[in-house]
Amino acid sequence: RAGGGEKKPLGLAVAARATAILRSLYVDAEPHQFMARVKHVRIWEKVPEAAQAGALSSRLTTKVDISWDQFNPLKAFIARHIGRYFKMDAAAYGENRLLLELLRTLHALLKLGFYFSSELAPLLPTLLGLLDGRDDTVGPQDKGSSGKRYRRKVTIHVDTVAIMDCKLEVCRILQLLCDVRLDLRLSRLLALYHDEFAAGLWEPSGEQPHEQPRDSLGGTRGKLQAIGATMRALVVRDDDGAGSGYARLEEGEGGRSSLAERTMAVIGAQDAARSREAAFKKLFELLGFGATEMLVGVLMDLTFYEHPQLVSAALGLLVRQFEQRQKLLSTTLHSQLLVKPLMVSTYSTFDELLRRLSQLASRRKLYDDELFETACLLGKLVAHCSEESNSDGAELRSAGGFSRTRTARSRAGTTRTASSRTDHTEGKYLILIGKGYTAVGSDAVRIELADHRPPRPGERLQLEKEMYSVKTVSPPTDGVVEVALDRPLKVVGALAPELQIGGSGEVWVMLLCQSAGYNLDMQVLLRTMGAHEAVLQLLRLPVSSAPLPSELRTRAVLRAVYRTIKALVTGFPQMQSDLVPAIPRMVEHVEKDLVAYDVTPTGCVTAILRDNRAACARVPFSAIHKFVQLAAKKQAPRFLRFLGEICRPAGVAIKRNCQLVAQALGSKEEALLLFNSTEGMEERAALIAARDLETNPRGKLAYHIEAVGLLGTLVTGINNPNIEQMVRETLPMDDVVANLLLPDLPTPLVVSYLRLLDEAYLVTAKPLVNDLATRDFMELLSALQARIAAFVSRIEAADDLDALALDADSEEAAAEAEETDLLLGHVFPLLTHFFAPPRDAMEDSDEAETQGVGGLSASVLLLLAGYEDGRDEPFLAVCRALGETTASFRALECAAVLSDPVPVVDCLRALASGAFATLGDADLGTASSQGGGLSTIGVTVTLTADKKEAHPQAE
């Protein structure tokens, strides 16, 4: 305004800059947030409301206080101004620049959800007209047909690049509008389904009441497949032009009692089909781009411009135009409808949490309280994934509960696998509960809680990467508690500036929690909401190779990121597949000291690859070689655990990976810590006496157990003489047997040695009978018989087996469970392989062709009987004792034996084949799970106790 209020027009250049400033300061600014995205999660009760509103579902569910009418005058001005341009002239430099800024502002308003569908429809003809450059000119003398408009030309008189940039912005607006349109169409399609469901046209099973064949799978998975098949019929047209799938839903109505009834049924079906067809056509008329032929001509014309981004955008828009139906189908099949009140409330919580997390993740760097807030948000995601609901979803346990409810399980979770069980992080996670104020050398901490309960005496806290136990806790006062630790605070490595002299004394307090498993319902919901996308963005936070005091908080956030990824992927194959492309970025962090008590980058990569054979098969040799080098350098169990996982995912070996790992280990022998020298045996004995496996779960003893287990993994389930020979040279049988005869060996180490003995010396293409016909091996058989007998005696002497089973948290129960797993999972299968009948008795078994099992005990007995000094008598005595002890074990009234009798029965059958045992009447007709009557000849044994139906989206 000039003096006296007189209005004067601004210059076009000034107006363009003013528009850009307006957009940056007021439009594309907080609290406004990205809204133009398809929401795959919908609340069932609000489906009709969302369809009628004509607004983005993100806008309808947001809790952010936004004045949606504040930009109405700006939207009206944009519509009026761009409506003046039915063609563009490269000589109108100022007008083109102003138009470009207005289009960018329109894009921002659309992205932030300020448009209803009713407001977008009038804009479409104008936008499509701007996109059409066939009438554009380059100066007053140009007729528009010379082709000059295709070339890049910038002079003081004309600027064709500005026109190209305007058309590129229009393409981006239309691409964004396609996303908006998809979200609105999905809302309307779900509303149609909601209305039909309410009218009784759909059965509760998810099928229509017509004579469609019922899915043999049954259960929830069958319902999902039935709905998916019907949605595919609704969305996809047939090639013969017979209309949408609605016309096909009424077919197959035969079997009527009279011609009149059949005729009326056909008429009714035709009316319903026409009604549905009309509704479906109206659905695709929403925000349509008009005649496809005209749009194709406009977009193909844009491909001639000398502007690579414009050409790419035009082709992308062309693809979106022709994939509308398939895109809607795919989006519908990946949508999740929430019915239970618990899931609805949880969704609202997640929506707000992920909104804030996405805002933080979009920044290049985080500072101070932003880092703390990010770690808190990630901790809440982990806590929700670790919570478990009961069968009807009406109740939610807090993190750390141990209810036996539906949790995420791996696909190999129903098989007994040979695991060394040295991973102390299983079922444990840390979450940030607040800021503590203390000093180095002090055992007192004042904690300002961050929306979390106070710690309890006996719980464990992590401060500056060190674990402490809580001795006492004061009553909370205004969210502040005083905590006494079991020992003074110490810091190893880089010291945070807050703990240095003159600092604030601030530390982040992490609480160690436990869970029986991750809740698959929460994992599915978070995946559908795209939580992993926001979490992965945080991996871009910059950190140096070695810890620096100034970046310790950033490192804590990265550890929280890996903790969250582990919670999202564990036992959830779909999420594992989604995160496979992010593995290279995680591998870059392996050497950046991001190790926490409960998670590491390597452990997170292992969780993503677990039981994922397709991903494991694509692991390059360079990655294998790198992890072997890291294992040799740091001797951390997690590196060997990773190598073992990629060799045998889902319990089935990948021969290529086994060969590559064996090759890498052969060139880096220091990666194997075997303690096979005299000094090594003494060092291991000292570690065992000091209980190093419990006090230092990432120490030498744990690494040694994983090394022996990895050697066993390399020869499990494959027939490769080269690898077998490498393993035998690394650990000769005499050393293996000698180690198994040592007393007080940790159970995980016994498991590893038994597995290696079984796979490298018994289940082989060419069994080593001479090595088995030794006094040491007979002593081992006698020791195994004594171990089984001792277990039988303890169970028979127990006063109350039910009380022992119920008190699962006691050390005694844990020890008995560990011993039971050892006997059923490893001892009895090894004995079965040794006493299995000869090959001619197994000729009908598939295992007879692939495994070197059968006739070992008979061959050993024949070899020993050839000596005149009666060497076969001690062997026969041990075999008979094993038969009696195994029969006693089979007779135990123990829950573990009764629920999983297959390994014992197979062992008895193998012993009975050599006349060393007698089968009971109940076991004579027992059918094993694999051919030949020996289920334990295979690598794994299927458990029969778990009959629970798997989660439908975990398949």
Side-chain angles (χ1 to χ4, degrees):
R1 291 178 182 273
E6 180 183 356
K7 295 182 179 180
K8 290 185 178 181
L10 293 174
L12 294 176
V14 177
R17 296 302 300 165
T19 304
I21 294 173
L22 171 67
R23 183 177 65 253
S24 300
L25 291 181
Y26 300 102
V27 179
D28 199 0
E30 293 186 0
H32 307 152
Q33 54 183 311
F34 182 66
M35 295 284 181
R37 64 178 182 273
V38 181
K39 299 210 75 170
H40 293 81
V41 179
R42 305 297 178 98
I43 301 174
W44 177 248
E45 294 181 351
K46 295 185 178 180
V47 164
E49 176 185 339
Q52 294 173 3
L56 284 161
S57 54
S58 300
R59 172 172 166 173
L60 298 176
T61 58
T62 184
K63 295 182 180 179
V64 182
D65 186 14
I66 298 176
S67 176
W68 296 107
D69 299 330
Q70 59 181 315
F71 296 119
N72 284 349
L74 178 60
K75 293 190 294 183
F77 173 76
I78 292 175
R80 288 196 308 270
H81 190 82
I82 65 176
R84 298 163 47 190
Y85 294 88
F86 58 92
K87 69 175 184 176
M88 301 181 69
D89 188 355
Y93 178 83
E95 294 181 357
N96 294 339
R97 285 296 172 185
L98 177 58
L99 178 62
L100 177 60
E101 294 299 337
L102 289 175
L103 289 173
R104 288 173 177 171
T105 305
L106 172 60
H107 182 274
L109 290 170
L110 181 60
K111 176 183 69 175
L112 299 173
F114 282 96
Y115 277 96
F116 285 96
S117 59
S118 57
E119 297 173 313
L120 290 172
L123 286 175
L124 270 176
T126 302
L127 293 173
L128 293 173
L130 283 172
L131 198 62
D132 188 356
R134 289 173 290 188
D135 292 331
D136 294 345
T137 57
V138 182
Q141 304 301 324
D142 186 22
K143 300 297 184 180
S145 59
S146 63
K148 295 180 180 179
R149 58 190 175 91
Y150 295 131
R151 295 191 289 271
R152 299 173 66 95
K153 184 177 181 180
V154 180
T155 68
I156 60 175
H157 300 292
V158 295
D159 185 358
T160 59
V161 176
I163 295 180
M164 297 179 191
D165 289 340
C166 288
K167 296 186 184 302
L168 174 61
E169 199 62 38
V170 172
C171 287
R172 290 171 176 169
I173 292 173
L174 293 179
Q175 278 281 7
L176 193 61
L177 195 143
C178 287
D179 294 333
V180 173
R181 182 176 66 184
L182 179 60
D183 184 81
L184 297 175
R185 288 177 177 178
L186 177 62
S187 298
R188 293 197 179 185
L189 179 61
L190 293 177
L192 291 174
Y193 171 64
H194 185 280
D195 294 342
E196 292 186 1
F197 190 92
L201 298 180
W202 295 76
E203 292 183 354
S205 64
E207 300 176 5
Q208 284 206 295
H210 310 294
E211 297 178 6
Q212 294 183 354
R214 184 172 290 272
D215 195 298
S216 61
L217 294 173
T220 310
R221 184 183 176 193
K223 300 174 188 176
L224 291 175
Q225 290 187 349
I227 293 175
T230 307
M231 286 298 180
R232 187 174 289 105
L234 295 178
V235 177
V236 179
R237 286 183 179 272
D238 291 333
D239 293 336
D240 59 3
S244 73
Y246 282 111
R248 296 287 181 254
L249 297 178
E250 309 298 337
E251 295 181 356
E253 291 291 321
R256 302 290 181 179
S257 58
S258 67
L259 177 61
E261 290 181 356
R262 290 198 298 271
T263 303
M264 294 302 297
V266 170
I267 295 174
Q270 290 176 348
D271 291 340
R274 280 193 292 269
S275 175
R276 285 173 150 184
E277 178 69 15
F280 196 63
K281 283 185 177 180
K282 188 176 180 181
L283 177 70
F284 274 93
E285 291 172 357
L286 176 64
L287 296 180
F289 290 164
T292 301
E293 295 80 4
M294 185 193 74
L295 180 64
V296 170
V298 171
L299 295 177
M300 292 305 295
D301 179 73
L302 293 179
T303 61
F304 291 96
Y305 282 79
E306 295 179 355
H307 197 297
Q309 290 180 307
L310 178 59
V311 174
S312 177
L315 293 175
L317 199 57
L318 193 63
V319 172
R320 289 298 295 266
Q321 174 66 11
F322 284 99
E323 67 172 7
Q324 294 182 58
R325 294 176 180 272
Q326 188 61 35
K327 195 73 173 178
L328 181 58
L329 169 64
S330 175
T331 305
T332 305
L333 296 181
H334 288 85
S335 297
Q336 187 174 359
L337 298 174
L338 303 182
V339 180
K340 295 180 181 178
L342 171 64
M343 297 301 293
V344 172
S345 62
T346 304
Y347 166 68
S348 300
T349 301
F350 283 166
D351 194 42
E352 181 62 22
L353 190 153
L354 292 176
R355 179 195 67 81
R356 180 55 181 161
L357 186 63
S358 298
Q359 288 180 341
L360 294 169
S362 63
R363 299 175 184 175
R364 296 175 62 89
K365 193 173 182 179
L366 301 175
Y367 299 92
D368 302 330
D369 287 341
E370 292 177 341
L371 292 167
F372 182 80
E373 182 183 5
T374 303
C376 287
L377 294 175
L378 293 172
K380 291 179 181 179
L381 288 180
V382 175
H384 277 286
C385 285
S386 303
E387 291 174 338
E388 302 175 13
S389 60
N390 58 18
S391 58
D392 59 2
E395 176 181 329
L396 199 65
R397 289 178 175 260
S398 61
F402 288 91
S403 62
R404 303 298 180 186
T405 58
R406 183 175 63 191
T407 54
R409 299 175 297 172
S410 66
R411 282 168 285 180
T414 56
T415 59
R416 176 170 303 191
T417 58
S419 171
S420 59
R421 291 176 296 179
T422 63
D423 187 3
H424 71 286
T425 67
E426 184 176 354
K428 299 179 181 179
Y429 61 94
L430 291 166
I431 57 174
L432 182 60
I433 64 172
K435 293 181 179 180
Y437 296 89
T438 183
V440 177
S442 173
D443 61 354
V445 184
R446 179 171 61 88
I447 303 177
E448 295 181 357
L449 299 173
D451 193 22
H452 198 278
R453 67 166 177 82
R456 304 186 182 103
E459 291 185 328
R460 303 190 69 190
L461 301 178
Q462 177 183 276
L463 288 79
E464 299 299 317
K465 297 181 63 176
E466 291 289 327
M467 301 300 298
Y468 303 87
S469 295
V470 177
K471 292 178 62 177
T472 59
V473 183
S474 68
T477 304
D478 296 331
V480 178
V481 295
E482 299 288 341
V483 175
L485 305 177
D486 62 334
R487 56 192 176 91
L489 176 69
K490 72 173 184 178
V491 178
V492 179
L495 184 65
E498 293 82 1
L499 293 176
Q500 296 175 4
I501 298 176
S504 62
E506 178 184 301
V507 295
W508 288 6
V509 181
M510 313 284 291
L511 175 66
L512 181 63
C513 304
Q514 290 185 327
S515 175
Y518 294 109
N519 190 312
L520 192 53
D521 286 331
M522 298 299 166
Q523 290 177 313
V524 171
L525 180 57
L526 285 172
R527 175 179 179 260
T528 309
M529 298 180 69
H532 55 292
E533 297 173 358
V535 173
L536 289 177
Q537 287 184 24
L538 290 168
L539 290 178
R540 301 179 302 177
L541 292 175
V543 291
S544 58
S545 299
L548 299 176
S550 60
E551 62 180 23
L552 293 180
R553 297 293 180 258
T554 303
R555 289 177 172 273
V557 171
L558 285 173
R559 295 187 190 100
V561 169
Y562 283 110
R563 193 173 294 120
T564 308
I565 292 175
K566 180 181 177 182
L568 292 175
V569 304
T570 301
F572 190 11
Q574 284 90 344
M575 184 66 84
Q576 289 176 318
S577 300
D578 291 343
L579 296 188
V580 166
I583 288 180
R585 195 186 311 172
M586 299 180 192
V587 173
E588 294 176 359
H589 284 163
V590 168
E591 297 185 81
K592 292 191 175 182
D593 193 21
L594 293 173
V595 178
Y597 178 82
D598 60 327
V599 71
T600 65
T602 303
C604 198
V605 173
T606 305
I608 295 174
L609 294 176
R610 181 161 292 131
D611 301 334
N612 192 331
R613 290 184 54 81
C616 290
R618 295 195 300 268
V619 175
F621 177 70
S622 58
I624 295 174
H625 185 66
K626 179 177 182 178
F627 276 95
V628 170
Q629 287 184 323
L630 289 171
K633 178 181 178 181
K634 299 186 177 182
Q635 292 195 338
R638 59 183 180 273
F639 300 123
L640 298 184
R641 203 173 294 127
F642 166 82
L643 296 173
E645 181 60 41
I646 65 173
C647 286
R648 197 164 175 265
V652 181
I654 298 180
K655 294 183 179 181
R656 172 251 187 194
N657 287 0
C658 291
Q659 293 172 348
L660 294 179
V661 171
Q663 178 182 343
L665 290 175
S667 61
K668 207 74 174 177
E669 296 182 358
E670 55 268 32
L672 295 174
L673 181 63
L674 301 177
F675 293 122
N676 47 8
S677 64
T678 303
E679 296 79 5
M681 298 283 285
E682 294 175 354
E683 182 182 0
R684 186 181 66 179
L687 292 173
I688 294 174
R691 305 185 68 175
D692 186 72
L693 188 59
E694 300 174 14
T695 60
N696 187 16
R698 293 193 174 107
K700 277 190 172 184
L701 186 56
Y703 184 84
H704 168 62
I705 294 173
E706 289 292 343
V708 178
L710 179 59
L711 291 176
T713 300
L714 294 179
V715 293
T716 300
I718 65 172
N719 183 12
N720 191 313
N722 294 329
I723 298 180
E724 290 177 357
Q725 185 61 31
M726 187 275 286
V727 172
R728 291 169 183 170
E729 292 176 355
T730 305
L731 265 180
M733 183 173 175
D734 293 342
D735 292 346
V736 176
V737 174
N739 279 286
L740 286 171
L741 290 175
L742 292 175
D744 302 326
L745 215 60
T747 300
L749 186 54
V750 175
V751 168
S752 296
Y753 275 122
L754 284 175
R755 182 185 180 189
L756 189 145
L757 174 65
D758 193 11
E759 299 294 341
Y761 293 94
L762 299 184
V763 188
T764 62
K766 296 181 180 179
L768 308 178
V769 178
N770 290 330
D771 292 341
L772 298 175
T774 60
R775 187 180 302 274
D776 288 343
F777 186 73
M778 280 188 282
E779 289 183 15
L780 177 61
L781 293 178
S782 179
L784 295 178
Q785 183 272 332
R787 191 158 192 159
I788 300 172
F791 179 85
V792 172
S793 300
R794 288 196 303 273
I795 297 299
E796 291 178 343
D799 295 332
D800 191 351
L801 290 177
D802 294 332
L804 179 64
L806 290 176
D807 190 13
D809 294 333
S810 66
E811 293 185 4
E812 182 182 2
E816 291 301 333
E818 191 176 59
E819 186 71 8
T820 304
D821 288 341
L822 170 67
L823 297 178
L824 290 175
H826 306 282
V827 173
F828 285 122
L830 182 143
L831 295 175
T832 302
H833 296 159
F834 181 69
F835 289 101
R839 284 177 177 271
D840 55 357
M842 299 172 57
E843 58 186 5
D844 294 333
S845 171
D846 294 336
E847 295 292 337
E849 300 177 0
T850 59
Q851 303 286 353
V853 180
L856 289 178
S857 60
S859 300
V860 171
L861 181 60
L862 183 62
L863 182 63
L864 293 176
Y867 294 94
E868 298 179 355
D869 54 0
R871 298 183 186 183
D872 55 333
E873 291 301 327
F875 177 73
L876 290 172
V878 172
C879 294
R880 296 189 188 100
L882 277 170
E884 296 174 0
T885 308
T886 304
S888 301
F889 188 95
R890 176 70 178 98
L892 288 176
E893 296 294 328
C894 178
V897 179
L898 295 176
S899 64
D900 184 21
V902 176
V904 190
V905 173
D906 282 347
C907 187
L908 274 176
R909 292 168 66 89
L911 287 164
S913 67
F916 300 124
T918 302
L919 288 174
D921 295 337
D923 297 330
L924 283 173
T926 301
S928 297
S929 60
Q930 298 190 22
L934 297 172
S935 65
T936 48
I937 287 180
V939 176
T940 56
V941 180
T942 302
L943 295 176
T944 59
D946 192 357
K947 298 292 185 182
K948 191 184 303 180
E949 181 184 2
H951 192 284
Q953 298 194 45
E955 295 298 329

